[in-house]
Amino acid sequence: MNRSKEASDGEADETRVLSRKEFGRLLRKRAYQQQKARRAADPKFIAAKEAMKQRRRELYQKEKERRTAARAGEKEKKHAARAEERAKADFELMKFVKRAVKGSSAEN
């Protein structure tokens, strides 16, 4: 009583004898798939899922705005510091130029 090799794998899975361990695994897999299908069709679950998505998006946008504001603040501080350094350098340069101009006019 050999089975023909033409039998598909699906038929072979249905007709073979399962051990208790395999049968338990099969039952758990079926239960998981049924619950997954129920959750996919459950309006409450879908609404909760959408609410979570919306909240996640809002939190991401708030964090993005906070980072952007912090970055802008840092950029403004750096710009002010550079402007102050340039002003000091310009002042020192003007002192040097005035001395050079005074010195040349005094010599002439």
Side-chain angles (χ1 to χ4, degrees):
M1 305 276 161
N2 293 334
R3 291 189 186 145
S4 67
K5 292 184 180 180
E6 297 173 4
S8 69
D9 289 338
E11 290 175 11
D13 285 342
E14 290 178 17
T15 58
R16 72 184 182 100
V17 177
L18 299 175
S19 68
R20 286 180 181 257
K21 186 176 180 180
E22 290 172 330
F23 185 66
R25 188 177 299 143
L26 180 66
L27 288 178
R28 284 191 301 275
K29 184 176 182 180
R30 285 183 185 165
Y32 169 77
Q33 290 172 343
Q34 288 172 352
Q35 286 298 322
K36 186 176 176 182
R38 282 190 194 125
R39 281 192 308 267
D42 184 19
K44 286 183 181 179
F45 186 79
I46 293 170
K49 196 172 175 183
E50 281 300 316
M52 286 188 300
K53 281 183 188 178
Q54 188 63 29
R55 178 156 167 72
R56 194 178 318 119
R57 287 183 185 130
E58 289 171 2
L59 291 173
Y60 173 76
Q61 286 299 323
K62 285 180 185 177
E63 180 63 20
K64 187 176 178 182
E65 290 171 6
R66 187 193 65 77
R67 274 192 234 128
T68 304
R71 212 175 296 129
E74 289 175 11
K75 188 175 181 180
E76 186 63 33
K77 286 179 186 176
K78 286 181 183 179
H79 181 69
R82 274 192 249 132
E84 187 177 329
E85 288 176 13
R86 279 196 304 270
K88 286 180 182 178
D90 288 347
F91 181 72
E92 293 295 322
L93 182 61
M94 288 306 294
K95 282 182 12 183
F96 180 73
V97 170
K98 285 181 183 177
R99 284 186 201 151
V101 171
K102 284 182 184 178
S104 65
S105 64
E107 292 176 2
N108 291 334

